[in-house]
Structure formats: structure tokens, C-alpha cells
Amino acid sequence: TYGEDEGDESDLEIRPPVVTVMGHVDHGKTRLLDSIRKANVREGEAGGITQHIGAYQVLTELEGNERLVTFIDTPGHEAFTAMRARGAKATDLAILVVAADDGVMPQTVEAINHAQAADVPIVVAVNKIDKEGANPDKIRQQLTEYGLVAEEYGGDTMFVDISAKQGTNIDALLEAVLLTADASLDLRANPDMDAQGVAIEAHLDRGRGPVATVLIARGTLRVGDSIVAGDAYGRVRRMVDEHGEDVAEALPSRPVQVIGFTSVPGAGDNLLVVDEDRIARQIADRRNARKRNAMQARSRKRISLEDLDSALKETSQLNLILKGDNSGTVEALEEALLGIEIDDEVELRVIDRGVGGVTETNVNLASASNAIIIGFNVRAEGKATELANREGVDIRYYSVIYQAIDEIEKALKGMLKPVYEEIELGRAEIRALFRSSKVGTIAGCMVTSGSIRRNAKARLLRDNMVVAETVTISSLKREKDDVTEVREGFECGLTLTYNDIKEGDVIEAYELREKARD
Ligand code: GDP
């Protein structure tokens, strides 16, 4: 599925196929990878491919055109399957190696099953044809049982008889790979976007620190890019190809060793380029925390009181629905958003995510769960905008991750419950009580400190004890006139929202003021 979600057709350019060599043990996978490497010494080059970086590219010719093919340099389907299990799609096509003097063996069948499960087309290399007793026809016959029918037999699988040892027919095999790829795959990618790829190998190098071989799926990776892969992040300091040469940029399907991670990513981790180092770090930290939490959750047997307490604690929640132009950016956005540092009282939750425009279904969910919809490089589809307006659903569009983060951060700050502080306004002593049939009990007061205001909050004190906590001064008069404020040293008449008052009670008026947050 390379080549999807990458803008217009016109942005897509043909990229090399990425090939894995599979087959039974001792049938010649390693030898084949060696001989392909050797057959491809570039003109004027001394050593050819000098570095084993986990993958390499060779230049070949098809129908007069120069074409590149990328090989994953680890034979066997274990690596292939391990990567697939982690959600990485690092192979377009498989070469199935079968020794002509041996035949279809258990791991041959396993390899076929893995490739077919991954929807990866197969080219069969019938190897060791130099050997006595080699019977390539027998191999063709055996493989028909597994759905691999040779073109000569009326099927659509290409078989090439080779000798990895003698270098026979290697060019024909490369040609078959390209023909099969062109016939059954859409090998196109947009090189004009931030790179996405897969780490296919990584280790800690004594001199260079963490080194990861990355296979670019789409976009172009450049020196200086901020990157994240799994829970590792960093910035591309150097890139080295399989010839040991420094490269400044890597296009789709190109494998490169990347130097600049602050820790070692895992094989099969997806690599993303993000706008800033800060975001790369946030995403990596978030993944780290998640990994730790998952590990803790597994090791925890009983729920502790603390867990229960925090689960019960009231939280305000900001729900988000994320839509983006491809799964990589949606993932990056989610990680970055969840990495925003917020108060414990507020919780940010991504309740749904997906690739594509904002749909009516998204809007309905947002409306039902009071969520904000974020569209990253996408727009609303069909009647979704209309529906959103009707339902009062907020859809926000972004094309830069840090802008999205900034705004959501602000929205979250706005959601925080304000913290108030109390400012004492003044006190008044009740000197006399009047009953009024119209307004209830009127208290004749003397303001003893500060001032008393109409509509102010107050508490009622009796012998310095609070008898009523949340009372409001509902009316305030001087002589016969309604006033808003009476100062210290003046008499006034007032009513409260609380009627059980006595002579000698003290009214303490106060105001709540929102405390500034930092
Ligand atoms: P792998 O386990 O599939 O990687 O197999 P290898 O590449 O290690 O090859 C196993 C053995 O078969 C080695 O001794 C190779 O030299 C030998 N071999 C591989 N390809 C050929 C070939 O085309 N002809 C002959 N005669 N021997 C081969």
C-alpha cells in the first residue's frame, strides 16, 4: 500500500520495488544476495557495495531504461514476518529461492504462505542449475500445487533458472522482478513530502552512537530532519549508503543508515519526520511512557487504593476526533497531542481517528460526545460542514503539527476550572431588624470596615462563628434610596437571601476573583 494518501496523481513518481529473498535453508538465499551485489559494481568504483547496512540498491536495465531495485539484505522470512507483525510494510515483492537439486521443502511452503498472506507477489528463482541432478521442471511442477503456476504452463508467475554460485541469469532475474512489479503493483510515491519509512535494522555503534538503517517509503529524508521511530527520536546528522558514502537526501525505496538518533529504535519501527525536535521528543516520550505503563499494568496484580482514587477523581475531558491525509501523520498528531503537558484535572482523549476527509459520521460522533474534530491536510466531505454547523460541532483544520498543538494547548488551558481567591470587601453589624411583608427581613446595619455592596457574596457570623456560608446581599439602601455600595462608618438597610438573622450578627461581604494561572 505504498503510494496512497500522498496528494494528487501528478505528485507521484515511480519508485524502485523493495524485494525480500525467501526460501528453504541452504537453497542459496545468501549466495544470491551476494551475487546480485557483486553483479552491480558501479562503473569506476573499486569495491562495489562495501557496507552491510541491511538493504542495498542495484541499478539494472529494463527495456532500455535504467531502473533501481532495492533488496532487503537479510534472507529468510523470519525478518519479513517480524516486521509485518509490527505493522511495517517493508516489502513489495518476494524472490522465492528453490534449489533445483532439492525441491519444495517445508520452509519453501512457509515462505509462500507468508508472502501470500501479505499480498506480496512472488518471483521464483530456481537455483543451483549448475549442479548435477538439477531438475528445474520438477520445481515448476511442484509449485503449481501452491498456486504458483509458471508462465510456460499458462500461469502468471515468472520462474527464472539461475546459478547464484556462477552468477548465471542474475540479470534475467532482476528483469523478471521489474516486470512482475510493473504488472501487479502501483510503485509510486510522492517524493515531495516529509519522509516516512521503516527502520529495518538498528544498533549501537561505539563511535557513531545509535545507527539505524531506514528504508524510505514516501517523501524525502534529509540531513537536518527531526525524526522519530518507535520510542527513539533525534535529528538526522549524517546519512550513509551501502557504498559507505555520505548522502544528503534519500528518496522513496532508498535504504540509508541514519546517524543522529538519541537512542536505538527497534527493527520494524515506523520512521516519521516531524516539524520540530520538540515534537519528535514529545512523541518518543509519550511512547516510552505508554510502554512503561503497559509493562506496569501487566505486572500489577491488584488495584491499589491510589488507582481507585485517581480513577474516581473528577476530570474534565477534552474529546478529539483526528482525521488526516495518511496514517503516519494521524499517528504523529495523536502522539504529539497526547504529549501536551496538562493539569491532572483535565484529560485529553482521542475518541476516534482515521485517514480521509471529515465525514458526517465523524460529525455525529463529535456531536454525541462533545468532541472537537481536527482535520490535518484534509477537508470536510459532502454535507459534513452543514451538519457540523447545525450541531455546533467545532472542526479545525491544520497543515502544520505544531500549530495544531498550540491551539489545542490553548483550548485545554481554557477548559481548566478557574481557581478563585476570596477578597474581603467589608463587614457590617446588624443593629436592628424590620419585618417587611414585601421583602422579608430587613437588617439595619452599621458598616464597620471596608464597604458593603449590593449583590456581593456574604457569610453570616454570630459570635465569630459562621452560621451561613453562601449568602447574597440582595438589596441595599441608604435612607430610602437603593445604592450599590455603602462605606465604613455609614448606616444602611439590606436584605439577604438568608432570613434567620439576629441583632448583633455580623455580615462579612466578599468577592471571588479568578486567580491568574501561569
Ligand atoms: P541459504 O541458507 O539459503 O542462505 O543458502 P546459502 O546461500 O548459504 O547456500 C547454501 C549452500 O549452497 C552454500 O554452500 C552455497 O555455496 C551453495 N550454493 C548456493 N547457490 C548455489 C548455486 O547456484 N550452485 C551451487 N553449486 N551451489 C550453490
Side-chain angles (χ1 to χ4, degrees):
T1 54
Y2 287 170
E4 65 177 13
D5 324 321
E6 295 172 62
D8 296 336
E9 283 283 300
S10 60
D11 297 328
L12 301 179
E13 288 178 22
I14 190 95
R15 62 172 182 83
V18 179
V19 180
T20 303
V21 175
M22 300 167 106
H24 194 71
V25 65
D26 277 346
H27 278 200
K29 301 180 291 293
T30 310
R31 197 69 191 254
L32 174 61
L33 282 162
D34 280 346
S35 68
I36 294 170
R37 220 184 278 120
K38 283 200 200 94
N40 264 272
V41 176
R42 297 182 303 189
E43 231 175 297
E45 186 181 68
I49 292 167
T50 55
Q51 310 262 314
H52 278 270
I53 66 168
Y56 62 81
Q57 263 186 345
V58 294
L59 192 61
T60 183
E61 215 182 78
L62 181 70
E63 289 151 2
N65 296 315
E66 289 203 319
R67 298 275 299 268
L68 286 164
V69 181
T70 303
F71 283 91
I72 304 283
D73 205 2
T74 338
H77 54 255
E78 292 81 8
F80 173 84
T81 307
M83 263 194 255
R84 224 163 66 77
R86 308 186 64 160
K89 171 93 166 67
T91 299
D92 298 308
L93 190 146
I95 293 179
L96 179 69
V97 180
V98 188
D101 64 334
D102 194 5
V104 172
M105 298 298 281
Q107 282 177 279
T108 316
V109 178
E110 227 171 89
I112 296 169
N113 290 338
H114 284 288
Q116 285 174 344
D119 238 343
V120 165
I122 294 172
V123 170
V124 181
V126 181
N127 192 29
K128 307 198 187 182
I129 53 161
D130 59 290
K131 278 182 93 166
E132 231 174 286
N135 186 351
D137 279 343
K138 190 185 98 189
I139 308 299
R140 281 171 175 71
Q141 232 144 34
Q142 286 183 332
L143 285 175
T144 54
E145 263 182 61
Y146 302 93
L148 299 175
V149 183
E151 287 185 316
E152 310 92 279
Y153 288 27
D156 55 8
T157 302
M158 297 192 79
F159 281 65
V160 184
D161 296 340
I162 65 163
S163 166
K165 189 178 177 184
Q166 298 181 344
T168 315
N169 270 348
I170 301 301
D171 285 345
L173 180 62
L174 294 177
E175 197 171 293
V177 162
L178 284 169
L179 287 171
T180 301
D182 287 354
S184 49
L185 300 165
D186 181 14
L187 285 182
R188 291 181 305 163
N190 181 357
D192 290 322
M193 55 186 280
D194 285 341
Q196 292 172 22
V198 182
I200 55 172
E201 194 256 37
H203 65 275
L204 190 63
D205 183 284
R206 256 204 210 161
R208 299 181 297 172
V211 175
T213 297
V214 169
L215 184 60
I216 308 301
R218 60 189 79 159
T220 300
L221 185 64
R222 295 188 171 84
V223 171
D225 282 346
S226 301
I227 46 173
V228 56
D231 56 12
Y233 72 97
R235 184 192 281 234
V236 181
R237 242 179 25 236
R238 266 185 75 192
M239 290 193 288
V240 179
D241 68 10
E242 63 271 32
H243 305 280
E245 284 166 11
D246 272 80
V247 290
E249 53 177 43
L251 290 161
S253 297
R254 167 129 277 284
V256 274
Q257 268 194 336
V258 171
I259 296 146
F261 277 107
T262 56
S263 62
V264 182
D269 280 342
N270 283 309
L271 171 121
L272 289 168
V273 169
V274 294
D275 302 322
E276 295 176 50
D277 291 354
R278 182 172 67 96
I279 289 163
R281 190 198 178 126
Q282 265 181 7
I283 294 171
D285 286 352
R286 183 79 201 177
R287 285 175 176 166
N288 250 316
R290 210 193 275 162
K291 207 156 79 177
R292 271 200 309 274
N293 285 342
M295 264 151 55
Q296 270 170 14
R298 273 199 295 276
S299 67
R300 196 189 294 137
K301 291 192 188 71
R302 252 179 290 155
I303 295 175
S304 71
L305 269 180
E306 272 168 26
D307 296 327
L308 209 60
D309 190 32
S310 66
L312 291 173
K313 199 167 72 185
E314 222 190 307
T315 54
S316 352
Q317 192 173 305
L318 178 61
N319 290 331
L320 298 173
I321 295 175
L322 309 182
K323 295 304 291 276
D325 53 344
N326 66 60
S327 52
T329 45
V330 173
E331 190 184 333
L333 189 64
E334 179 169 354
E335 302 271 5
L337 289 169
L338 294 177
I340 295 175
E341 282 184 21
I342 46 175
D343 265 88
D344 294 341
E345 303 143 52
V346 179
E347 192 187 343
L348 191 145
R349 246 201 223 172
V350 176
I351 58 169
D352 193 17
R353 63 192 67 63
V355 173
V358 177
T359 63
E360 287 177 63
T361 312
N362 298 145
V363 175
N364 282 325
L365 177 63
S367 169
S369 46
N370 200 20
I372 295 176
I373 300 179
I374 295 185
F376 194 80
N377 282 331
V378 293
R379 288 291 177 270
E381 285 173 5
K383 294 201 162 57
T385 306
E386 244 176 80
L387 184 64
N389 290 339
R390 221 161 45 232
E391 299 285 324
V393 168
D394 193 2
I395 307 181
R396 292 162 188 241
Y397 300 107
Y398 303 95
S399 55
V400 182
I401 286 185
Y402 74 78
Q403 268 171 8
I405 294 167
D406 269 9
E407 281 207 27
I408 297 301
E409 210 162 357
K410 280 184 196 135
L412 281 166
K413 292 249 162 76
M415 272 187 77
L416 289 172
K417 291 180 215 106
V419 174
Y420 293 104
E421 56 188 338
E422 187 181 313
I423 314 265
E424 188 180 320
L425 295 173
R427 288 182 174 209
E429 232 179 77
I430 299 176
R431 300 264 164 98
L433 292 172
F434 312 93
R435 307 284 161 189
S436 152
S437 54
K438 263 191 269 172
V439 293
T441 306
I442 299 167
C445 301
M446 165 58 81
V447 179
T448 53
S449 71
S451 68
I452 297 294
R453 284 183 212 159
R454 179 149 48 101
N455 293 329
K457 292 188 185 339
R459 58 176 66 88
L460 193 71
L461 310 176
R462 189 169 297 159
D463 302 324
N464 282 321
M465 308 252 283
V466 177
V467 288
E469 182 60 59
T470 43
V471 175
T472 303
I473 299 170
S474 37
S475 72
L476 184 61
K477 278 182 197 279
R478 277 260 320 124
E479 310 286 345
K480 291 211 147 40
D481 303 324
D482 283 311
V483 291
T484 53
E485 184 178 21
V486 178
R487 293 177 180 282
E488 182 182 337
F490 291 92
E491 291 186 321
C492 61
L494 57 82
T495 57
L496 297 172
T497 51
Y498 181 82
N499 276 327
D500 187 14
I501 51 179
K502 288 188 175 159
E503 273 177 41
D505 287 353
V506 171
I507 296 162
E508 182 183 84
Y510 63 90
E511 194 177 66
L512 289 179
R513 207 172 281 166
E514 200 175 317
K515 212 172 170 174
R517 274 181 181 275
D518 37 29

